[in-house]
Amino acid sequence: MAAVGGGAESCGGCAFSPGPGPCLAAAGADGRIRVWNTQSGGLRHEYVPSSHLSATCSCLSWAPPRRLRQEVPQKKKRRSEDVNGDEELDLLAIGTAVGSILLYSIIKGELQSKLGGGHDSKVNCVRWHQENDCLYSCSDDKHIVEWSVPTGKVKCKWKAEKGSVSCLCLSPDGKMLLSAGRGIKLWDLETKEVYRKFTGHATTISSLTFATIRPPNDSQPFDGTTGLYFLSGAVHDRLLNVWQVRSDGKDKNAVLSFTLTDEPIYVDLTTSGDREDPVKLAVVCRDGQMHLFEHILNGYCKKPLSPTCTVQIATSGRVTDARPVPILAATFCFDRQSILIAYSNVLHPIIERVTLNTTESHICLVRDAQMTVALTTETAVTKVKTPIVTSGVKVLMPGVPGHNTSMKPTLMESRTNEAKRRKGTEHERSIEERLCTMDIDVMKMKSKSGLPQTDSFAVLLVQGLESSDSSIINKVLQTKKDSLIKTTIARLPVPAVVPLLQEITKRLQGHPYSAALMVKWLKAVLTLHASYLSTLPNLVPQLGVLYQLMESRVKTLQKLSRLHGKLFLLVAQVAASEKAQDVSSVDQTAKLVYEEESSSEENSEDDLMADQESDENWEEDEEEERADDPKMHIDKEISEDSGEDMHTGNESEEE
């Protein structure tokens, strides 16, 4: 049987050590590294790095157990006696936020060495080589560094990604290295060149683990890497993907996926020498649950696999009083049947060995675990000394480098400040005297009208909403001035927006006069606080009455618009008819007529023709009148006779 994976290596704040009788290393938020005994559950070591305040721990990794040689006298030393002794844990690698790596010795109980100068940013992951005295680290500075542990110097450094490198994993033979940012690359450690590339995840990859030591079949000679499977998990990704290194190069996509309830934070698996035995996988998720999988890795599987068993831990008590207890880490024991589980709090985890019946799909373990932890420091574990703080000392808090906090004054400084304060109170002047010296007229500060100002409107409205006093709310909401309403809503605190909308909704259902006034307040609230309201997840249940009210009012808008249009036409026609009756007769003769030249000439000719016709008609009429008149007839005859006489006279004269 061979155990592979997450027990000895973790990129998070907890890590189980490899080998028999493992320990649990946990990094707290205060920057302290605590090592717990898994058998007794007691605190074995507590280490406080000198830079734990400015450079917090970012990752932990246990070194492979080393074999202690037995000391034998030189004369009696034989080859058979020069054998390795029992394996024992020694070194714990601690990655920091400033780019340095600390090597802590468990046997000596002190810091052995510090590896610096390799990274310029936070160390994301540290991995130990199984045989050589070297380790590999990756960082946000896009590089991978190979360290020499005996010398503490950088052996090799190369750029691995265009962005941050988040995780590493060594192959079982120690010749290949997996690195991941969002994509996954397989590196040849001899040439430092990329051997394979894999698709990866959509988000940053947080865990990498090889799942097999030997390929599933012996059809081709084994080169140490081809045919192996490895697992990868990513941040905000509820799938744990399985990849296979193939000789044909068609291995860019995952061959298998395991479904989870949340992103994985700790992965451990175990395999046996028999290829027919399934791989057992334990995955701890961010939501505090642990999922167990059993599957034989043999090629492609299209459908994602669900866990065979899900484990949760809860406190004892009634159903309403029981609270879930988060699981921090888990690792398989050497019998492959029982599991070591660390749960509760990182500052004081509870470690328990349990044997689970995986035939049940869901298991809930009831434990009396305290969620609040009060740590007591024992003198046998560590010695704490209070440093002498002077004025030139700069106090830092846990966090990123350069984060400052206010320094607590010393006893002498506090006494000096208190003496100064007492001395100042003896000559302290009243508020009236201070105002007089500042030449401020107190009476001018009062409002002449006695009405509350805009800031007092907001204060009154908040007081009325908190006390549910309808009289105060009505007094404020009776304001009709638009500028005053907008200023009051702008100064209203954010927690009072939803209660104000509920009060406005109540008043919208009342008298139409008050509803018309509430529309102004509703418009101001929705205009000025729309960004806040859009962030509320349960806004629809809270304002459901307002939505229904607005929808019912809007439904009749179309009908009312049509009715308004018809009434407008009728009223316009009635008004037009009444106006037409009141108007008196008007002379429609044109006062000025403009005519063009061509038209004037034609008109003049027409007029001449008309005049001639009229003259002829007039002569005919006169002749007819004369013919009818006897006197005119007699005169005509006389004139004819006289004409004849004149004619004969003329003829005689001619003769």
Side-chain angles (χ1 to χ4, degrees):
M1 188 274 296
V4 183
E9 301 172 347
S10 174
C11 292
C14 294
F16 276 106
S17 63
C23 297
L24 176 67
D30 55 354
R32 300 172 181 264
I33 311 299
R34 298 178 177 89
V35 180
W36 303 87
N37 192 341
T38 57
Q39 296 180 355
S40 62
L43 184 61
R44 182 175 175 182
H45 291 277
E46 183 176 8
Y47 172 60
V48 184
S50 59
S51 60
H52 72 286
L53 295 178
S54 61
T56 56
C57 172
S58 57
C59 59
L60 297 172
S61 180
W62 287 95
R66 69 173 187 174
R67 296 184 181 275
L68 300 178
R69 294 180 179 273
Q70 299 177 355
E71 295 183 359
V72 183
Q74 188 70 21
K75 295 181 180 179
K76 298 182 179 179
K77 185 177 179 180
R78 299 178 183 176
R79 176 176 293 183
S80 60
E81 294 176 347
D82 189 13
V83 295
N84 294 332
D86 296 334
E87 292 183 348
E88 186 174 355
L89 292 172
D90 185 15
L91 294 179
L92 174 66
I94 305 168
T96 62
V98 294
S100 60
I101 300 174
L102 308 178
L103 300 182
Y104 180 72
S105 177
I106 303 297
I107 297 176
K108 299 178 181 179
E110 61 183 13
L111 183 66
Q112 176 171 314
S113 61
K114 180 180 179 180
L115 308 179
H119 294 291
D120 300 330
S121 186
K122 182 184 75 171
V123 179
N124 293 323
C125 186
V126 178
R127 289 290 181 259
W128 290 84
H129 199 279
Q130 296 290 336
E131 299 177 358
N132 302 331
D133 291 333
C134 64
L135 58 85
Y136 298 87
S137 62
C138 63
S139 172
D140 288 342
D141 60 3
K142 311 174 186 179
H143 288 81
I144 299 175
V145 178
E146 181 181 359
W147 301 87
S148 176
V149 176
T151 61
K153 296 182 180 180
V154 177
K155 293 178 63 176
C156 185
K157 179 179 179 180
W158 70 95
K159 186 177 180 180
E161 295 284 347
K162 294 182 180 179
S164 174
V165 185
S166 59
C167 198
L168 298 175
C169 183
L170 280 162
S171 62
D173 61 352
K175 296 180 180 180
M176 295 288 181
L177 177 69
L178 282 172
S179 69
R182 290 189 177 181
I184 304 174
K185 295 180 180 179
L186 182 63
W187 298 86
D188 187 352
L189 292 179
E190 292 184 1
T191 61
K192 303 299 186 296
E193 294 180 355
V194 178
Y195 179 74
R196 286 283 191 278
K197 288 185 179 181
F198 303 90
T199 306
H201 296 256
T203 56
T204 303
I205 297 175
S206 58
S207 61
L208 285 174
T209 305
F210 271 97
T212 54
I213 297 178
R214 298 287 298 179
N217 52 36
D218 294 333
S219 60
Q220 297 179 355
F222 180 57
D223 57 358
T225 307
T226 305
L228 297 185
Y229 292 90
F230 65 91
L231 287 74
S232 66
V235 178
H236 307 303
D237 195 345
R238 294 186 295 177
L239 287 177
L240 192 69
N241 291 337
V242 181
W243 314 79
Q244 186 181 16
V245 183
R246 299 181 181 178
S247 58
D248 54 3
K250 298 179 180 180
D251 47 12
K252 293 184 179 181
N253 298 323
V255 298
L256 177 64
S257 297
F258 297 105
T259 58
L260 307 172
T261 55
D262 205 344
E263 64 175 273
I265 60 173
Y266 201 95
V267 180
D268 185 74
L269 58 89
T270 178
T271 59
S272 64
D274 192 356
R275 295 189 178 92
E276 297 181 358
D277 289 343
V279 174
K280 293 186 176 182
L281 179 66
V283 183
V284 179
C285 297
R286 181 72 65 183
D287 57 1
Q289 301 184 51
M290 181 180 68
H291 303 284
L292 301 178
F293 299 89
E294 292 185 6
H295 183 71
I296 299 176
L297 299 177
N298 190 13
Y300 180 77
C301 183
K302 184 177 181 181
K303 186 177 180 181
L305 299 180
S306 301
T308 57
C309 181
T310 300
V311 181
Q312 285 181 299
I313 300 178
T315 57
S316 60
R318 298 180 180 178
V319 178
T320 57
D321 298 336
R323 293 181 299 174
V325 180
I327 300 176
L328 306 175
T331 183
F332 285 98
C333 299
F334 265 61
D335 58 359
R336 300 185 72 238
Q337 301 297 328
S338 55
I339 303 176
L340 274 177
I341 301 176
Y343 57 91
S344 187
N345 198 298
V346 178
L347 297 177
H348 195 290
I350 301 174
I351 304 171
E352 183 179 354
R353 180 172 179 173
V354 295
T355 302
L356 302 175
N357 184 12
T358 56
T359 56
E360 300 180 7
S361 60
H362 190 277
I363 298 175
C364 182
L365 303 176
V366 180
R367 299 290 185 269
D368 294 330
Q370 296 181 358
M371 301 303 293
T372 58
V373 179
L375 291 179
T376 58
T377 306
E378 300 178 0
T379 56
V381 176
T382 182
K383 294 181 180 180
V384 179
K385 294 182 180 180
T386 303
I388 300 175
V389 180
T390 60
S391 59
V393 176
K394 184 179 180 181
V395 181
L396 300 176
M397 289 295 291
V400 297
H403 177 71
N404 300 331
T405 183
S406 57
M407 185 172 61
K408 187 177 181 181
T410 59
L411 182 60
M412 293 299 295
E413 292 179 354
S414 60
R415 290 178 180 177
T416 305
N417 295 334
E418 186 177 358
K420 291 181 180 179
R421 184 174 54 82
R422 289 178 180 177
K423 186 178 180 180
T425 54
E426 295 177 358
H427 304 284
E428 187 176 1
R429 291 174 294 182
S430 63
I431 298 176
E432 185 178 0
E433 294 176 354
R434 293 181 181 180
L435 293 176
C436 291
T437 56
M438 296 173 62
D439 195 17
I440 295 177
D441 191 0
V442 183
M443 299 304 295
K444 292 182 180 178
M445 298 175 61
K446 297 183 179 180
S447 176
K448 295 180 180 179
S449 61
L451 296 175
Q453 301 299 319
T454 307
D455 53 352
S456 60
F457 263 99
V459 174
L460 284 175
L461 188 57
V462 172
Q463 291 177 356
L465 293 173
E466 291 180 352
S467 60
S468 300
D469 193 345
S470 58
S471 61
I472 298 177
I473 298 174
N474 292 332
K475 184 178 180 180
V476 177
L477 295 181
Q478 287 176 359
T479 306
K480 301 179 181 179
K481 195 174 181 181
D482 294 338
S483 61
L484 190 59
I485 292 173
K486 292 181 180 179
T487 311
T488 304
I489 295 300
R491 297 187 179 184
L492 192 69
V494 173
V497 173
V498 176
L500 177 60
L501 286 176
Q502 294 175 353
E503 293 293 335
I504 292 175
T505 304
K506 294 179 183 178
R507 286 159 178 77
L508 282 173
Q509 299 174 355
H511 196 272
Y513 175 77
S514 63
L517 187 59
M518 290 303 105
V519 169
K520 296 183 178 180
W521 288 89
L522 180 62
K523 180 181 178 181
V525 173
L526 297 179
T527 303
L528 298 176
H529 296 282
S531 58
Y532 166 70
L533 294 173
S534 62
T535 59
L536 298 178
N538 54 350
L539 183 63
V540 176
Q542 292 180 356
L543 303 181
V545 179
L546 180 61
Y547 288 163
Q548 295 176 1
L549 182 63
M550 294 174 63
E551 188 177 358
S552 62
R553 296 286 178 90
V554 172
K555 280 184 178 179
T556 58
L557 179 61
Q558 188 175 4
K559 297 180 180 179
L560 290 175
S561 299
R562 292 178 180 175
L563 179 62
H564 178 268
K566 293 179 180 179
L567 292 176
F568 180 79
L569 292 175
L570 291 175
V571 171
Q573 291 177 0
V574 170
S577 61
E578 291 178 355
K579 187 176 180 181
Q581 293 177 2
D582 296 339
V583 175
S584 59
S585 60
V586 182
D587 187 10
Q588 297 182 356
T589 304
K591 294 182 179 181
L592 179 65
V593 176
Y594 173 76
E595 296 180 353
E596 294 181 357
E597 295 180 356
S598 59
S599 60
S600 62
E601 293 177 356
E602 293 176 358
N603 292 333
S604 60
E605 293 177 357
D606 295 338
D607 293 339
L608 291 174
M609 293 292 293
D611 293 339
Q612 292 177 359
E613 291 177 358
S614 62
D615 293 340
E616 292 177 356
N617 294 333
W618 180 70
E619 291 177 356
E620 291 177 357
D621 293 338
E622 285 183 348
E623 290 178 356
E624 290 177 357
E625 289 179 355
R626 290 175 182 175
D628 295 337
D629 190 359
K631 188 180 289 187
M632 292 294 295
H633 185 70
I634 294 171
D635 292 339
K636 184 177 181 183
E637 291 178 354
I638 294 171
S639 61
E640 289 179 354
D641 293 336
S642 60
E644 291 178 356
D645 294 337
M646 290 177 67
H647 183 69
T648 57
N650 291 332
E651 290 179 354
S652 63
E653 289 179 356
E654 290 177 355
E655 293 177 358

